[in-house]
Amino acid sequence: MTGVTVKDVLGSLGLGILVILVAVSIFAPQIAPYDPHDTYKPMEHPSSEHLLGTNDVGNDILSEVIYGTRVSLFIAFTVSITAIVIGTALGLIAGYSGGVLGFLIMRIVDIFLTIPRLVLIIVIAAFMPRSIWTIIVVFIIFGWVMTARIVRSEVLTLRSQYYVESARMLGGSDLYILWRHILPNVIPLVVVQFIMEASHVIIAEAGLSFLGLGDPVARSWGTTFHYAFECPNIITSDVWMWWMLPPGLCIVATVLGFTFVGYALEERLNPKLKTVVGMGV
Amino acid sequence: MHYISKLTYYLVIILIILSINFFLPRAMPGDPLAYVLGENPDMPTRMTEEEREMRLAEYGLDKPLLEQYLNYMVGLSRGDLGCSIYYNTPVMDEILVRLKWTLLLTGTSTVIYMLLGIFLGAESAWARGKKKDTGSLITILTVSSFPTFFLGTLLAIFFAANLDLFPLGGARIIGASYANPFEKALDILHHLVLPAATLIIAHIGGTYLLMRNSMLSVLGADYILSARAKGLSERYIMNRHAIKNALLPVVTMAALTVQFMIIGTIFVEKVFAYPGVGNLLYDSVLRRDYPLLQGIFLFIAISVVIANFIADMTYLWLDPRVRDE
Amino acid sequence: MKKQKTVITLVFAALICSAACMAFSVTALAEEDNVAATDGDRIVRSVGGEVGTSDWRYPAPFTFYPRGPGYVRMSMLFDTLTWKDANGVVPALANGWRVSDDGKTWTFYLNKDARWHDGEQFTADDVKFTFDYMKDYEGEFTWFEAIDYVDNVEIVDDYTVIVSLNEPMASFLVDIAGNMPILPEHIWSSVSDPTKFTGDDAVIGTGPMKLVEYNSAEGFYHYEANYDYYNGKLIVDEFITMGVSNAAASLKNGDVDEATFWGSAVDAVNEFVDDDDFEIITGPSFWVLQIIFNCDADKGYPTNNVTFRRAIAYGIDREEIVEQKLHGGGVAANTGILHPDAIWYNPDCEGYAYNVAEANAILDSLGFTEKVDGIRQYPSGAERSGDLKFVLYTTGKYLREGELIQAQLEKIGIKIELTPSDWTTIDSYLRDAEFDMVISGHGGIANPQIMRIPDWPASTYQSEEYTSTFAEQEVTLDFDDRKELVNQLQEMVAEDLPVYTLYHPYIWCVYNPDVLDTWFYTRDGICIGIPIELNKLIFLARYGDANENGKINMQDVTVIERMIMELDEPTDMADANKDETINMLDVTCVELTILGRAPIRCE
């Protein structure tokens, strides 16, 4: 019994974290004490005016991190939603219609899965102008693959199920069958996949920004961390506590939120599914 | 038959990777010459039209695309990855001198995190549902949520900067004179601890969960039940039967995790200024040394493909069910 | 089935073994020859130069990375004819020198004790060979291009050479004689592809240090003392320049003994102020950050109007940028580009102190009167219309300065669209004059030669007066005359504002004096203006108390003076005295130089 409870606790905990973070990003202008681009005296220690001090150009760090929630979550959700939609569509096509198109899609999937994704992303990002759209596009290009593959194999199983067969025999159109019978069964998988992808994007985007390839204007947590890391006295003084720890812990909290929710959902929705959690970066 | 089709498939993938590498700089906005010559914002240079054309010719960038492509392929077949802008030396040389450090770091970490992951995963599954299982599961899920660079920085702050137990970075004391090789190995090991620990903590989650899942399904299998019925000791069953049988997916995954390991290494080497290929990748991004960047990408991508190929082959050889699928 | 599992176990075991073997073999591979240091040796570890980069390529004359930190790593091994210390030019391979009245003939008296690292004697042949070699391989030596000035080199005897120039060159003593590494003829005469020449032979010079190991992967240079050094007694046995992940932390941990900090790293430097274990010296970086305007007559509207540029100059608060970005670790720039600490600095340039009212008045007078949401509008009939808006390009490095400027200019009704880009792209915009404004920085602003167009990024600036003044100063030998011309150049820049300079960062050297305490900053920078503290003279005993009040004490002057006086060819000197009137003046001149009065003048 304890196992089930723990899972529920973790799931709700994760959900709680995510809800808070989403709320923070939506209400960033109301929550943040300052505009993250306003400048004050640089390198201030925490005080009642600046709860987390100021950074090297005098931006309020707390406000920067709060607005960073917006940037990081925006990238994560935009990428994973788009990637999931594309992946599901391609997976459905590949699984349901099979044939040359299906074969082609699956070959592309295999190739994408074999190429080390983040290394190629780093290389592409180095060639492109630094902006959050660059990051979003590059992540989408590589993000749909896993979903397509999982959806396809599920469709292959479903297609041979008796109710799908009978629906077809009764003359249901392909589109109707896909929509009515297959998609609803694929949705749980897709939801889990969405969570995995979002958590992966959070951590990968942070990594990319840490390497100095993030958007320097719309500062995500990773970018804030990057600037903190570059600060020459970051570890010889206490500065890291208020400049490095907050964005770092935000990344951890988000990933943990996704992981817990994913973990709780996963076995509930599909006990057979074994996704490897925490292998993002 | 299967072997041959697998081989063809991997060759095609390599060809695709090579082509991506070729077309990437040419498809990007901006001056292709800039990608060969690099940039130096601190020493701006002006080129006249003639100089430009001369340079274009020098790098063969004035030729038709197809001819450039062929030249590129011919060069690659000789192991020629081009010349680094910054170092002005063959890209391959720069990679090779750093490779030993990266291999040392990844090799050590892989061995430890695999063993530890298998051990903890097996223990956890064995104690399924108990406090021990839940505790280690939550702990491992939590530490796995740390980005590698964050984890590394925290370890550096605590164990190097504050406690001064380990060096802040580097692979060994530079300019040290050692009394004997043992002392030197110790020094290298001393420098290896924090980067390796970071990689191990960051990667243990995957193996742990896989082993735990695999073990759980094995523990429900008939032969384990019959072993229990025979009255064999729990420890004996676990060691003798369960672990062995649960290992198959983990072994297969080992090769597939190579790419995650390499990516983790980039961050760890950056944080600890460890002189490996990952740090070189970071530097080449910073210096916009495109030929070097591409060379490293190619090197990593092909290593990963080869690792996958070996994994696939092993899997085929080991598991007849896959062969007959 | 059971057999199968055994196989898996075996495979797994093999995997582990192979990985372990790999690890061990690699450890063995890492085995390299080290110089065994004996106890009591003084080993100095330095993170000198630039933070973040420690590898400046192989330190041979044709392979080092052609920027300051690369050059100094080579200069440890190779001496030049002259060199500089905290107060100006000092002798190196040349004990003394003199120049003819027309400034075209330079005679160098060489040091007779100098030997190459391999034991061979250094002679005038090597000097002539080097000049000829540099001319032959001019394109390959990317560090400088001035060798064209040299016509030929004549050997008078084993220790005297005469260098004839095509035209007078004011900066010859520093820019060529104090810059060109002298190569050993017996090695380089057979080298036909110098840029590929590396290895033990390629690093045989006459310098105070010999190369033990250069490691590109780990980014370090390991030198050992050349105890036979002709130029004085060495106090350092081994010297290492290396990279670390965090310079301040490595200093505190004792991993390194000295490190360089720039600009905003003042925060890190401040942590050492109260630390008795460390000492700090501050230097000028000879580096400037500036806004480049598009002055192109056709494409540059409205920045091609000098009055408009002045409005922007008044509208930018440089002090705020220094405070916000550098945290006080620098000074607001001299609008005439050259650094306030440089001998060539013109203090009378227009400064454009921050003045919003003035900026607004100018913009109003230019017709940008109408405002929408606080942003000025182009007057009707102008080349552009709508918001007075500019694209400001910068590399990621100076984005934060860009943000500050953006906010400042908005106060005078100018909208800035900040666009981070890579330098290659920006460079192509500069080349084609397809830009409004660019933020960019460069070093070397102790040396007037940096103001040459188009090396200097203000390539859209067209002024015949500027070009001719620049050309004239290049051939003007008289210090005061040349200074006057250089002053005019600076005034022109300040007046016409092809670029608007923002700030000069400071540079610091934080060091552990117990290990070495001879660190100093070179007058107008090492060689042609390298601002960092890695001057090879720190290894010499006579610089032992160089840091007391930042000057070399008089005893040192006497040493150098004595060296110059003790020229080994008294007859030669006597002869020189007869037909030219400058022999003794020479000594005085160098002496003056040492005293810091006139570093480059010698006539």
Side-chain angles (χ1 to χ4, degrees), chain A residues 40 56-57 216 219 233 236-237, chain C residues 249 265 271 324 327 399-400 403:
Chain A
Y40 305 90
D56 59 335
V57 282
R219 274 174 241 152
N233 59 331
T236 44
S237 61
Chain C
E271 285 180 32
Q324 288 290 325
H327 314 158
L399 211 81
R400 305 215 140 185
E403 288 173 353

Side-chain angles (χ1 to χ4, degrees), chain C residues 364-528:
Chain C
D364 287 343
S365 74
L366 286 173
F368 299 95
T369 42
E370 197 188 323
K371 284 187 184 179
V372 176
D373 293 335
I375 299 300
R376 292 170 186 274
Q377 303 291 307
Y378 280 102
S380 54
E383 277 175 54
R384 301 184 187 185
S385 58
D387 285 353
L388 182 53
K389 189 172 78 178
F390 296 104
V391 176
L392 176 60
Y393 288 108
T394 173
T395 56
K397 264 189 190 169
Y398 312 121
L399 211 81
R400 305 215 140 185
E401 286 86 341
E403 288 173 353
L404 290 166
I405 289 168
Q406 188 177 36
Q408 290 170 357
L409 290 184
E410 201 161 317
K411 289 183 194 146
I412 58 166
I414 296 176
K415 197 169 175 179
I416 293 293
E417 209 169 285
L418 193 58
T419 311
S421 188
D422 58 311
W423 178 254
T424 18
T425 314
I426 296 175
D427 189 49
S428 68
Y429 296 149
L430 285 174
R431 192 168 50 224
D432 304 335
E434 296 287 355
F435 67 102
D436 298 326
M437 299 186 225
V438 165
I439 300 182
S440 152
H442 64 78
I445 53 165
N447 192 332
Q449 293 300 109
I450 197 78
M451 299 176 81
R452 182 204 303 268
I453 295 174
D455 294 351
W456 180 47
S459 50
T460 55
Y461 177 50
Q462 307 279 347
S463 160
E464 276 180 28
E465 195 193 352
Y466 184 91
T467 318
S468 64
T469 313
F470 184 86
E472 197 185 340
Q473 68 83 24
E474 275 190 298
V475 297
T476 304
L477 286 172
D478 183 84
F479 177 78
D480 295 326
D481 292 350
R482 186 176 176 212
K483 178 108 172 55
E484 180 50 39
L485 292 166
V486 175
N487 280 349
Q488 284 173 23
L489 285 177
Q490 294 172 70
E491 273 158 26
M492 274 181 245
V493 173
E495 196 73 15
D496 295 347
L497 291 175
V499 299
Y500 183 59
T501 53
L502 298 171
Y503 63 69
H504 307 298
Y506 289 128
I507 179 171
W508 293 272
C509 160
V510 179
Y511 62 95
N512 179 348
D514 294 342
V515 179
L516 189 70
D517 67 347
T518 50
W519 304 94
F520 66 87
Y521 281 109
T522 308
R523 181 74 185 157
D524 285 359
I526 297 168
C527 182
I528 55 167

Side-chain angles (χ1 to χ4, degrees), chain C residues 147-194:
Chain C
I147 196 74
D148 283 343
Y149 281 93
V150 178
D151 179 36
N152 69 74
V153 178
E154 197 183 314
I155 298 175
V156 178
D157 61 44
D158 267 2
Y159 293 96
T160 314
V161 289
I162 295 175
V163 181
S164 306
L165 305 183
N166 290 317
E167 48 188 308
M169 181 187 180
S171 57
F172 175 79
L173 202 59
V174 170
D175 285 359
I176 294 184
N179 185 6
M180 189 180 69
I182 302 296
L183 309 172
E185 184 181 10
H186 64 278
I187 290 170
W188 289 79
S189 56
S190 58
V191 177
S192 58
D193 191 1

Side-chain angles (χ1 to χ4, degrees), chain C residues 239-426:
Chain C
F239 182 68
I240 293 163
T241 71
M242 56 192 272
V244 293
S245 57
N246 185 300
S250 296
L251 269 173
K252 288 199 167 172
N253 279 13
D255 295 344
V256 294
D257 312 306
E258 186 269 342
T260 307
F261 296 90
W262 286 77
S264 59
V266 62
D267 302 318
V269 176
N270 283 338
E271 285 180 32
F272 294 93
V273 170
D274 297 324
D275 195 331
D276 291 339
D277 297 337
F278 295 95
E279 282 177 23
I280 303 166
I281 52 172
T282 312
S285 60
F286 300 123
W287 195 94
V288 64
L289 189 74
Q290 55 201 9
I291 299 182
I292 304 168
F293 293 108
N294 190 345
C295 309
D296 192 274
D298 300 325
K299 301 178 183 169
Y301 177 80
T303 45
N304 56 10
N305 180 345
V306 63
T307 323
F308 187 83
R309 298 200 289 270
R310 281 181 197 147
I312 292 181
Y314 281 120
I316 292 175
D317 184 357
R318 300 192 269 203
E319 299 293 344
E320 192 198 359
I321 299 174
V322 169
E323 217 31 64
Q324 288 290 325
K325 167 70 193 193
L326 296 182
H327 314 158
V331 283
N334 163 30
T335 316
I337 293 188
L338 294 186
H339 195 280
D341 285 357
I343 193 88
W344 304 103
Y345 168 64
N346 180 353
D348 302 324
C349 288
E350 172 63 52
Y352 300 97
Y354 183 50
N355 189 338
V356 176
E358 182 71 31
N360 278 323
I362 294 175
L363 290 173
D364 287 343
S365 74
L366 286 173
F368 299 95
T369 42
E370 197 188 323
K371 284 187 184 179
V372 176
D373 293 335
I375 299 300
R376 292 170 186 274
Q377 303 291 307
Y378 280 102
S380 54
E383 277 175 54
R384 301 184 187 185
S385 58
D387 285 353
L388 182 53
K389 189 172 78 178
F390 296 104
V391 176
L392 176 60
Y393 288 108
T394 173
T395 56
K397 264 189 190 169
Y398 312 121
L399 211 81
R400 305 215 140 185
E401 286 86 341
E403 288 173 353
L404 290 166
I405 289 168
Q406 188 177 36
Q408 290 170 357
L409 290 184
E410 201 161 317
K411 289 183 194 146
I412 58 166
I414 296 176
K415 197 169 175 179
I416 293 293
E417 209 169 285
L418 193 58
T419 311
S421 188
D422 58 311
W423 178 254
T424 18
T425 314
I426 296 175

Side-chain angles (χ1 to χ4, degrees), chain A residues 124-135 138 213-216, chain B residues 28-30 35 288 290, chain C residues 419-422 425:
Chain A
I124 295 177
F127 276 105
M128 307 255 281
R130 289 170 65 189
S131 100
I132 82 172
W133 295 106
T134 302
I135 293 174
V138 180
L213 291 169
D215 188 326
Chain B
M28 290 294 162
Y35 296 131
R288 295 289 187 270
Y290 296 104
Chain C
T419 311
S421 188
D422 58 311
T425 314

Side-chain angles (χ1 to χ4, degrees), chain B residues 34 39-40 42-43 46 86-87 94 98 100 104 111 115 118 164 168 172 174 184 245 275 287 318 320, chain C residues 4-5 7 12 19 23 26 30 32 45 53 55 57 65-67 216-218 220 249 253 422-424 427:
Chain B
E39 63 178 74
N40 183 355
D42 299 311
M43 208 173 65
R46 289 266 108 66
Y86 184 81
Y87 294 100
E94 293 300 327
R98 286 163 179 82
K100 61 182 180 187
L104 178 67
V111 170
L115 288 177
I118 287 166
D164 206 6
L168 273 163
R172 55 181 169 145
I174 291 162
K184 178 167 184 170
N245 288 300
R287 293 174 184 142
L318 282 176
Chain C
Q4 200 95 112
K5 302 302 166 193
V7 171
F12 193 58
V26 156
E32 277 138 18
R45 288 183 174 82
T53 308
D55 184 333
R57 303 210 304 229
Y65 190 74
R67 280 190 48 209
S216 135
E218 291 166 78
F220 70 81
N253 279 13
D422 58 311
W423 178 254
T424 18
D427 189 49

